[in-house]
Amino acid sequence: MEETRSVPQHVAIIMDGNGRWAKKRGLPRTAGHYQGAKVVEQILYDADAMGIKYLTVYAFSTENWSRPQSEVKTLMNLLRTYMRTSLQKCAKNNVRIRVLGDRSKLDEDLIEAIDDLERDTKNNTGLQFQIAINYGGRDDIRRGVMKIAEKVRSGELDPASITEETVSENLDTADIPDPDLLIRTSGELRISNFLIWQCAYTEYYFTDVLWPDFNKEELQKAVDAYMHRERRMGGLMQ
Ligand code: IPE
Ligand code: IPE
Ligand code: MG
Protein backbone atom coordinates (compact mmCIF):
# COMPACT_ATOMS: atom_id res chain seq x y z
CA MET A 1 0.00 0.00 0.00
CA GLU A 2 1.31 3.45 -0.86
CA GLU A 3 1.93 5.62 2.16
CA THR A 4 1.29 9.33 1.95
CA ARG A 5 2.81 11.90 4.28
CA SER A 6 1.32 15.04 5.62
CA VAL A 7 1.76 18.49 4.11
CA PRO A 8 5.37 19.73 4.48
CA GLN A 9 5.75 21.96 7.48
CA HIS A 10 8.46 24.09 5.88
CA VAL A 11 8.71 24.81 2.15
CA ALA A 12 11.68 26.72 0.71
CA ILE A 13 11.66 28.12 -2.82
CA ILE A 14 14.44 29.21 -5.18
CA MET A 15 12.41 31.58 -7.33
CA ASP A 16 14.27 31.43 -10.62
CA GLY A 17 13.52 32.28 -14.25
CA ASN A 18 12.30 35.89 -14.10
CA GLY A 19 14.77 37.02 -16.77
CA ARG A 20 13.90 34.19 -19.17
CA TRP A 21 10.18 34.81 -18.68
CA ALA A 22 10.65 38.43 -19.75
CA LYS A 23 12.97 37.55 -22.64
CA LYS A 24 10.41 35.12 -24.04
CA ARG A 25 7.99 38.04 -24.26
CA GLY A 26 10.48 40.53 -25.65
CA LEU A 27 10.35 42.49 -22.40
CA PRO A 28 13.19 43.85 -20.25
CA ARG A 29 14.34 41.58 -17.40
CA THR A 30 12.81 44.06 -14.98
CA ALA A 31 9.34 43.08 -16.19
CA GLY A 32 10.07 39.52 -15.10
CA HIS A 33 11.08 40.68 -11.66
CA TYR A 34 7.88 42.73 -11.30
CA GLN A 35 5.73 39.77 -12.27
CA GLY A 36 7.80 37.53 -10.00
CA ALA A 37 7.13 39.80 -7.02
CA LYS A 38 3.38 39.55 -7.65
CA VAL A 39 3.62 35.77 -7.65
CA VAL A 40 5.34 35.72 -4.24
CA GLU A 41 2.48 37.68 -2.78
CA GLN A 42 -0.09 35.19 -4.06
CA ILE A 43 1.92 32.07 -3.17
CA LEU A 44 2.20 33.23 0.40
CA TYR A 45 -1.58 33.06 0.79
CA ASP A 46 -1.82 29.78 -1.14
CA ALA A 47 0.84 28.17 1.05
CA ASP A 48 -0.99 29.29 4.15
CA ALA A 49 -4.28 27.93 2.84
CA MET A 50 -2.63 24.55 2.16
CA GLY A 51 -1.52 24.26 5.76
CA ILE A 52 2.16 25.04 5.23
CA LYS A 53 3.52 26.68 8.39
CA TYR A 54 6.89 28.03 7.20
CA LEU A 55 7.62 29.47 3.77
CA THR A 56 11.13 30.65 2.88
CA VAL A 57 11.96 32.33 -0.42
CA TYR A 58 15.29 33.22 -1.99
CA ALA A 59 15.02 36.79 -3.26
CA PHE A 60 18.64 37.93 -3.64
CA SER A 61 21.84 35.92 -3.24
CA THR A 62 25.29 37.07 -2.14
CA GLU A 63 26.31 36.34 -5.75
CA ASN A 64 23.55 38.47 -7.30
CA TRP A 65 25.57 41.66 -6.62
CA SER A 66 27.62 40.69 -9.67
CA ARG A 67 24.68 41.50 -11.97
CA PRO A 68 24.63 44.85 -13.81
CA GLN A 69 24.19 47.71 -11.38
CA SER A 70 20.89 48.73 -12.97
CA GLU A 71 19.38 45.28 -12.36
CA VAL A 72 20.61 45.24 -8.75
CA LYS A 73 19.02 48.64 -8.29
CA THR A 74 15.70 47.46 -9.71
CA LEU A 75 15.71 44.41 -7.45
CA MET A 76 16.47 46.50 -4.36
CA ASN A 77 13.74 48.99 -5.26
CA LEU A 78 11.29 46.14 -5.71
CA LEU A 79 12.20 44.75 -2.30
CA ARG A 80 11.78 48.18 -0.80
CA THR A 81 8.27 48.55 -2.27
CA TYR A 82 7.44 44.99 -1.31
CA MET A 83 8.37 45.64 2.33
CA ARG A 84 6.33 48.81 2.50
CA THR A 85 3.20 47.49 0.77
CA SER A 86 2.39 43.82 0.48
CA LEU A 87 4.36 42.71 3.52
CA GLN A 88 2.66 45.39 5.61
CA LYS A 89 -0.62 43.80 4.54
CA CYS A 90 0.66 40.35 5.53
CA ALA A 91 1.70 41.69 8.89
CA LYS A 92 -1.94 42.60 9.53
CA ASN A 93 -2.96 39.07 8.53
CA ASN A 94 -1.02 37.43 11.37
CA VAL A 95 1.99 36.55 9.16
CA ARG A 96 5.36 36.60 10.92
CA ILE A 97 8.12 37.99 8.71
CA ARG A 98 11.83 37.38 9.07
CA VAL A 99 14.67 38.30 6.75
CA LEU A 100 17.60 35.92 6.31
CA GLY A 101 21.01 37.07 5.07
CA ASP A 102 23.52 39.77 5.86
CA ARG A 103 21.39 42.90 5.96
CA SER A 104 24.30 45.15 6.96
CA LYS A 105 25.20 45.47 3.26
CA LEU A 106 21.75 46.84 2.33
CA ASP A 107 20.68 50.49 2.12
CA GLU A 108 19.80 52.03 5.44
CA ASP A 109 16.11 52.61 4.67
CA LEU A 110 15.73 49.00 3.60
CA ILE A 111 17.35 47.81 6.84
CA GLU A 112 14.93 50.03 8.71
CA ALA A 113 11.94 48.58 6.85
CA ILE A 114 13.16 45.06 7.63
CA ASP A 115 13.71 45.82 11.31
CA ASP A 116 10.23 47.37 11.55
CA LEU A 117 8.53 44.38 9.93
CA GLU A 118 10.37 41.87 12.09
CA ARG A 119 9.57 43.77 15.25
CA ASP A 120 5.91 44.38 14.35
CA THR A 121 5.23 40.76 13.40
CA LYS A 122 7.26 39.09 16.15
CA ASN A 123 4.20 37.78 17.96
CA ASN A 124 2.18 36.81 14.89
CA THR A 125 1.19 33.16 14.97
CA GLY A 126 0.07 32.59 11.36
CA LEU A 127 2.32 31.70 8.43
CA GLN A 128 6.02 32.14 9.22
CA PHE A 129 7.48 33.84 6.16
CA GLN A 130 11.22 34.13 5.62
CA ILE A 131 12.70 36.15 2.81
CA ALA A 132 16.40 35.71 1.99
CA ILE A 133 18.13 38.91 0.90
CA ASN A 134 21.89 39.12 0.41
CA TYR A 135 21.82 35.52 1.55
CA GLY A 136 24.42 32.86 0.87
CA GLY A 137 24.56 29.49 2.61
CA ARG A 138 28.33 29.71 2.97
CA ASP A 139 28.09 33.25 4.29
CA ASP A 140 25.40 32.12 6.78
CA ILE A 141 27.79 29.44 8.07
CA ARG A 142 30.72 31.90 8.09
CA ARG A 143 28.76 34.41 10.18
CA GLY A 144 27.59 31.57 12.46
CA VAL A 145 31.19 30.43 12.98
CA MET A 146 32.13 33.99 13.89
CA LYS A 147 29.37 34.12 16.54
CA ILE A 148 30.48 30.77 17.95
CA ALA A 149 34.12 31.86 17.98
CA GLU A 150 33.15 34.99 19.92
CA LYS A 151 31.33 32.89 22.52
CA VAL A 152 34.37 30.65 22.88
CA ARG A 153 36.63 33.67 23.26
CA SER A 154 34.45 35.17 25.97
CA GLY A 155 34.44 31.88 27.86
CA GLU A 156 30.68 31.40 27.37
CA LEU A 157 31.20 28.26 25.30
CA ASP A 158 33.54 25.28 25.62
CA PRO A 159 34.74 24.17 22.14
CA ALA A 160 34.40 20.51 23.17
CA SER A 161 30.68 21.04 23.80
CA ILE A 162 29.87 22.30 20.28
CA THR A 163 27.14 20.14 18.72
CA GLU A 164 25.25 20.30 15.43
CA GLU A 165 22.53 22.14 17.37
CA THR A 166 25.08 24.77 18.41
CA VAL A 167 25.78 25.41 14.72
CA SER A 168 22.05 25.48 13.79
CA GLU A 169 21.30 27.90 16.62
CA ASN A 170 23.88 30.36 15.31
CA LEU A 171 22.57 30.48 11.74
CA ASP A 172 20.04 32.97 10.38
CA THR A 173 17.42 30.21 10.65
CA ALA A 174 17.82 29.65 14.41
CA ASP A 175 14.36 28.67 15.78
CA ILE A 176 13.12 27.72 12.29
CA PRO A 177 12.86 24.00 11.48
CA ASP A 178 14.84 22.72 8.49
CA PRO A 179 12.92 22.81 5.18
CA ASP A 180 11.02 19.60 4.38
CA LEU A 181 10.68 20.52 0.72
CA LEU A 182 12.82 22.73 -1.51
CA ILE A 183 11.35 23.83 -4.83
CA ARG A 184 13.42 25.35 -7.63
CA THR A 185 11.72 26.75 -10.70
CA SER A 186 13.03 27.31 -14.25
CA GLY A 187 14.73 23.96 -14.80
CA GLU A 188 18.11 24.63 -13.17
CA LEU A 189 19.27 21.64 -11.14
CA ARG A 190 21.38 23.31 -8.48
CA ILE A 191 21.11 24.86 -5.03
CA SER A 192 22.99 28.12 -5.84
CA ASN A 193 24.22 28.59 -2.26
CA PHE A 194 20.77 28.57 -0.63
CA LEU A 195 20.31 27.01 2.86
CA ILE A 196 23.14 24.51 2.34
CA TRP A 197 23.38 23.45 6.00
CA GLN A 198 19.63 23.39 6.54
CA CYS A 199 18.81 21.33 3.42
CA ALA A 200 20.95 18.30 4.36
CA TYR A 201 17.86 16.03 4.40
CA THR A 202 15.35 18.14 2.52
CA GLU A 203 13.41 16.67 -0.41
CA TYR A 204 14.17 18.55 -3.65
CA TYR A 205 11.60 19.30 -6.34
CA PHE A 206 12.60 20.83 -9.67
CA THR A 207 10.20 22.19 -12.25
CA ASP A 208 10.72 23.79 -15.67
CA VAL A 209 8.01 26.36 -14.92
CA LEU A 210 9.49 29.87 -14.78
CA TRP A 211 8.88 31.70 -11.50
CA PRO A 212 6.51 34.36 -12.94
CA ASP A 213 4.30 31.49 -14.22
CA PHE A 214 4.30 29.64 -10.89
CA ASN A 215 0.93 29.38 -9.19
CA LYS A 216 -1.19 27.47 -6.70
CA GLU A 217 -1.53 24.43 -9.00
CA GLU A 218 2.24 24.18 -9.40
CA LEU A 219 2.71 24.49 -5.64
CA GLN A 220 0.13 21.76 -5.13
CA LYS A 221 2.00 19.50 -7.59
CA ALA A 222 5.22 19.96 -5.63
CA VAL A 223 3.47 19.27 -2.34
CA ASP A 224 1.77 16.17 -3.79
CA ALA A 225 5.13 14.88 -5.06
CA TYR A 226 6.59 15.42 -1.59
CA MET A 227 3.72 13.61 0.08
CA HIS A 228 4.38 10.51 -2.00
CA ARG A 229 8.08 10.37 -1.27
CA GLU A 230 9.65 8.16 1.29
CA ARG A 231 11.93 10.03 3.64
CA ARG A 232 14.42 7.62 5.12
CA MET A 233 16.75 10.12 6.80
CA GLY A 234 19.51 7.51 6.73
CA GLY A 235 17.42 4.82 8.40
CA LEU A 236 15.50 1.87 6.96
CA MET A 237 12.02 1.75 5.45
CA GLN A 238 9.34 1.70 8.13
C1 IPE B 1 15.36 34.94 -10.36
O1 IPE B 1 15.28 35.16 -11.71
C2 IPE B 1 15.39 36.23 -9.56
C3 IPE B 1 16.70 36.54 -8.97
C4 IPE B 1 17.78 35.81 -9.01
C5 IPE B 1 16.81 37.81 -8.28
P1 IPE B 1 16.56 35.45 -12.60
O2 IPE B 1 16.78 36.92 -12.66
O3 IPE B 1 17.72 34.65 -12.14
O4 IPE B 1 16.07 34.92 -14.01
P2 IPE B 1 16.87 34.08 -15.08
O5 IPE B 1 17.48 32.91 -14.36
O6 IPE B 1 17.90 34.99 -15.64
O7 IPE B 1 15.85 33.65 -16.08
C1 IPE C 1 19.41 31.89 -7.39
O1 IPE C 1 19.16 32.20 -8.71
C2 IPE C 1 19.20 33.09 -6.52
C3 IPE C 1 17.81 33.55 -6.38
C4 IPE C 1 16.77 32.98 -6.88
C5 IPE C 1 17.65 34.74 -5.61
P1 IPE C 1 20.31 32.66 -9.71
O2 IPE C 1 19.67 32.81 -11.03
O3 IPE C 1 21.05 33.81 -9.17
O4 IPE C 1 21.29 31.38 -9.67
P2 IPE C 1 22.28 30.81 -10.75
O5 IPE C 1 23.15 31.96 -11.18
O6 IPE C 1 21.45 30.29 -11.88
O7 IPE C 1 23.02 29.72 -10.04
MG1 MG D 1 18.43 32.80 -12.55
Side-chain angles (χ1 to χ4, degrees):
M1 203 179 68
E2 198 180 3
E3 287 269 341
T4 59
R5 313 200 157 263
S6 49
V7 170
Q9 177 181 217
H10 183 176
V11 175
I13 308 182
I14 301 177
M15 313 181 289
D16 197 14
N18 293 353
R20 277 162 281 173
W21 181 92
K23 194 170 177 216
K24 257 176 49 184
R25 287 163 176 73
L27 298 169
R29 292 178 58 84
T30 324
H33 295 316
Y34 277 102
Q35 187 56 33
K38 281 192 197 156
V39 172
V40 193
E41 192 172 345
Q42 184 55 43
I43 285 299
L44 204 137
Y45 288 103
D46 296 335
D48 193 25
M50 280 178 201
I52 292 162
K53 293 275 172 272
Y54 296 82
L55 180 71
T56 303
V57 300
Y58 204 5
F60 193 92
S61 75
T62 47
E63 288 71 34
N64 287 147
W65 296 107
S66 67
R67 294 191 179 195
Q69 219 190 331
S70 58
E71 181 164 348
V72 169
K73 202 169 163 208
T74 300
L75 286 165
M76 289 299 155
N77 281 335
L78 251 177
L79 284 166
R80 197 171 266 120
T81 313
Y82 190 62
M83 299 280 167
R84 294 286 183 209
T85 57
S86 65
L87 285 185
Q88 283 293 344
K89 215 163 49 186
C90 294
K92 292 197 183 79
N93 284 312
N94 204 24
V95 174
R96 178 171 181 184
I97 297 151
R98 278 177 274 194
V99 173
L100 312 180
D102 182 1
R103 67 187 66 172
S104 69
K105 303 279 177 338
L106 307 176
D107 285 350
E108 216 163 294
D109 66 318
L110 194 51
I111 299 175
E112 224 172 87
I114 292 168
D115 290 344
D116 287 352
L117 273 171
E118 287 188 338
R119 192 196 52 239
D120 295 347
T121 64
K122 205 168 177 281
N123 298 315
N124 285 359
T125 54
L127 181 79
Q128 309 282 300
F129 181 62
Q130 289 70 236
I131 173 161
I133 306 174
N134 188 26
Y135 181 88
R138 288 185 173 179
D139 188 59
D140 192 4
I141 295 168
R142 179 190 67 82
R143 288 181 287 107
V145 168
M146 275 171 69
K147 285 187 218 165
I148 293 170
E150 274 303 331
K151 287 174 195 169
V152 167
R153 184 164 67 174
S154 71
E156 190 188 320
L157 188 66
D158 170 10
S161 72
I162 295 173
T163 61
E164 291 187 5
E165 281 69 38
T166 316
V167 177
S168 294
E169 284 161 11
N170 285 281
L171 299 179
D172 290 340
T173 45
D175 301 331
I176 298 168
D178 288 342
D180 301 294
L181 170 65
L182 172 80
I183 300 170
R184 182 169 187 151
T185 59
S186 91
E188 308 299 345
L189 308 180
R190 56 179 170 265
I191 194 159
S192 298
N193 204 11
F194 197 32
L195 306 172
I196 52 177
W197 170 277
Q198 297 86 339
C199 284
Y201 260 107
T202 299
E203 294 291 332
Y204 289 16
Y205 178 89
F206 298 101
T207 170
D208 287 338
V209 173
L210 303 173
W211 178 252
D213 289 328
F214 198 79
N215 55 24
K216 189 181 182 174
E217 286 66 44
E218 297 299 333
L219 179 63
Q220 189 65 58
K221 269 193 226 168
V223 166
D224 287 347
Y226 167 86
M227 285 164 68
H228 287 88
R229 285 194 198 171
E230 177 199 311
R231 293 187 84 186
R232 291 196 187 180
M233 319 289 272
L236 296 179
M237 244 167 89
Q238 293 296 313

